[in-house]
Amino acid sequence: MVDRLVTIMARLRDPVSGCPWDLEQDFASIAPYTIEEAHEVADAIARGDMADLKDELGDLLLQVVFHARMAEEAGHFALADVIASISDKMERRHPHIFGDGSGGPEQWEAIKAAERDAKGAASALDGVALGLPALMRAEKLQKRAARTGFDWPDAEGARAKIDEELAEVATAPDAAAREEEIGDLLFAVVNWVRKLGIDPEAALRGANAKFERRFRAIEATDRFATLDLAAKDALWAKVKATEG
């Protein structure tokens, strides 16, 4: 079945008879679509919509095939090489399943660290992708630093840092300094949430969904646009109360 998709992509990228839009794309132009499709997969999972998940996984698979096709055209690698690479990696990272049976899942991070060292990593932070959403990347950077012992011993230290950063936002002398301090504040919040054992990306995604649900409910009220803030806030409180 994958061969059919590979053939379709090859036709779309055919220099003579291919699709003009597909032909003008490159890795950089397609990358945002890849990220978008990954988020749409996560959205379908969060909504429990299996029919949509099937479609979104197909869209994400198309992204992989698209990148692999462009790499093959440039003489770098083909889809078969991508599949072989991830297969080798999964077997290497699960020696308790595919190896001599020793160790266990706890070896995963140690094996990944050894792989980074083999690539010449100079820092524990090497390999944390720049293209990740900022919230997710902040958490990953903090987790990497924590493995070296650079971490708060408990959540209280991380919580106190939020108060410190809030004060620095309030006393920032100009817009540029305020932006920097707000960045530090957001980073501190991610750190505190991480120490509480909560996934910050999932928490914010849930908050977004809750806000959207409640706002749509009050927006549907007659003459919503003409209501003042106090009336809109009262509607918000009413919707919130009905959700328990």
Side-chain angles (χ1 to χ4, degrees):
M1 297 298 288
V2 175
D3 290 344
R4 180 185 175 194
L5 184 56
V6 171
T7 299
I8 290 171
M9 180 52 63
R11 290 193 62 184
L12 290 172
R13 292 280 297 181
D14 186 281
V16 177
S17 59
C19 170
W21 185 89
D22 290 278
L23 283 168
E24 69 182 15
Q25 303 309 311
D26 57 23
F27 296 112
S29 67
I30 289 298
Y33 294 101
T34 307
I35 295 170
E36 179 181 346
E37 295 301 347
H39 283 297
E40 290 183 359
V41 165
D43 177 66
I45 292 171
R47 291 184 286 103
D49 189 333
M50 292 297 104
D52 201 21
L53 178 59
K54 177 194 67 176
D55 289 342
E56 297 301 345
L57 285 172
D59 291 342
L60 184 57
L61 178 59
L62 175 64
Q63 297 300 306
V64 175
V65 172
F66 206 143
H67 284 287
R69 179 62 195 181
M70 290 187 292
E72 183 176 6
E73 291 167 359
H76 300 307
F77 57 82
L79 182 63
D81 301 305
V82 174
I83 295 172
S85 178
I86 188 58
S87 297
D88 291 344
K89 183 185 295 184
M90 295 306 292
E91 291 177 351
R92 183 172 65 249
R93 291 183 179 178
H94 294 82
H96 55 296
I97 303 296
F98 302 104
D100 58 10
S102 62
E106 68 277 1
Q107 287 183 296
W108 178 270
E109 289 300 337
I111 294 171
K112 286 177 65 178
E115 291 171 355
R116 290 194 294 271
D117 289 342
K119 291 181 179 179
S123 167
L125 305 181
D126 284 355
V128 180
L130 289 169
L132 288 173
L135 193 70
M136 188 181 298
R137 189 164 194 269
E139 182 190 24
K140 284 185 174 292
L141 289 171
Q142 292 165 5
K143 284 182 175 179
R144 289 283 189 87
R147 291 184 201 134
T148 72
F150 189 68
D151 195 16
W152 298 106
D154 53 43
E156 290 307 308
R159 175 63 182 84
K161 187 67 175 175
I162 294 175
D163 292 333
E164 177 186 327
E165 297 298 347
L166 273 168
E168 293 182 2
V169 170
T171 58
D174 53 44
R178 192 174 302 114
E179 179 179 347
E180 180 179 349
E181 297 301 344
I182 287 175
D184 293 344
L185 173 61
L186 292 171
F187 193 85
V189 170
V190 171
N191 213 7
W192 181 49
V193 171
R194 179 182 63 85
K195 294 299 290 184
L196 293 175
I198 297 169
D199 178 350
E201 187 77 20
L204 184 57
R205 196 160 49 237
N208 288 341
K210 181 168 58 178
F211 176 84
E212 182 177 9
R213 182 177 66 251
R214 290 176 178 176
F215 183 81
R216 287 180 182 277
I218 68 171
E219 188 182 28
T221 304
D222 289 341
R223 298 185 300 279
F224 171 77
T226 66
L227 298 177
D228 61 18
L229 179 57
K232 290 176 180 176
D233 197 43
L235 285 172
W236 180 274
K238 182 178 180 180
V239 170
K240 182 178 179 180
T242 61
E243 292 184 353

